[in-house]
Amino acid sequence: MPRFFTNELDENNIVLTGSDANHIGRSLRMRPGEEVTVCCNGTDYRCTIGSITAEAVYLDLVDKHRCAAEPNIEVTLFQAVPKLDKLEYIIQKSVELGASRIVPVLTRRCISRPDPKDFERKKLPRLNKIAEEAAKQSGRGIIPEVTNMVSLSEAISMMEKLDRTVIFYEEEGGCSFGEVGFEGAETVGIFIGSEGGFDREEAEAAVKTGAKQVWLGRRILRCETAPITALSILMFLTNNM
């Protein structure tokens, strides 16, 4: 069933306009009576098409329920900036696995060092489009946000507001993922390094502000493998698979 997203919804007057209406009427060639799902803030609204005009699609509400694909925790992935093709892949798979927000972080060992203004103007719209497409494909109830690139200090300030944060550091030490303890946590952060990993001082700075140092064994994972592995384990541990 086709899925469409909105930030505001009036249950008595559900209308899709713009590109969504165009997609329904022209690309999908849907007709009155067919069903679509409208997602708003984690709730799925199952609707039938009442009528279609050149500018809008008018829907009739059938039922609504919390999106079953949405985790019961909000997960922010703090990803040290890798090369752009890797970042695109990480965003796509992280959204599929249940991340609620992806924050690109510029750390010392990042090989890719895009200009912040260029990143915001040229790259960020594409990255959010990838997140939107992945959300639709995987049946999410929200479109996870890809934020603008931030510094390490800005990322740490964001982490301090979360219930739990884990940092994956390639040096031995810390604890296993299962020892962190996510009971009662509603917001969780995962901090992953770039191709060059973390500088020791960066890792220590994150730990000093409350992040738990975690390692995934003796094999060093690629920067695009680590977030997928970490999110998969987190979703399993919190019964969100």
Side-chain angles (χ1 to χ4, degrees), residues 168-237:
F168 290 87
Y169 186 43
E170 63 270 19
E171 299 293 334
E172 291 190 28
C175 61
S176 69
F177 212 151
E179 295 174 321
V180 174
F182 295 99
E183 297 82 3
E186 296 181 356
T187 55
V188 175
I190 294 177
F191 196 9
I192 304 288
S194 65
E195 293 94 339
F198 288 113
D199 181 282
R200 180 179 291 276
E201 291 182 1
E202 293 176 326
E204 290 176 349
V207 171
K208 284 181 181 178
T209 57
K212 298 289 186 181
Q213 181 182 333
V214 172
W215 71 304
L216 293 172
R218 300 185 184 279
R219 291 180 296 278
I220 297 176
L221 304 181
R222 285 177 170 272
C223 67
E224 66 267 33
T225 307
I228 297 170
T229 303
L231 281 165
S232 297
I233 295 173
L234 176 62
M235 291 301 166
F236 177 78
L237 291 175

Side-chain angles (χ1 to χ4, degrees), residues 2-6 8-9 13-22 24 36-39 47 49 51-59:
R3 300 176 71 82
F4 300 91
F5 291 86
T6 182
E8 296 182 3
L9 185 145
N13 184 33
I14 304 177
V15 183
L16 295 178
T17 59
S19 60
D20 288 341
N22 184 69
I24 289 173
V36 300
T37 298
V38 179
C39 308
C47 305
I49 297 175
S51 61
I52 300 176
T53 69
E55 293 80 24
V57 176
Y58 297 88
L59 304 174

Side-chain angles (χ1 to χ4, degrees), residues 30 72 96 154 160 189 205:
M30 299 185 76
N72 59 19
E96 291 178 20
E154 289 172 321
E160 289 179 318

Side-chain angles (χ1 to χ4, degrees), residues 114-124 148-149:
D115 176 77
K117 292 183 179 179
D118 183 68
F119 184 91
E120 181 178 12
R121 184 176 66 255
K122 296 181 179 180
K123 296 180 175 63
L124 193 57
N148 200 14
M149 188 169 58

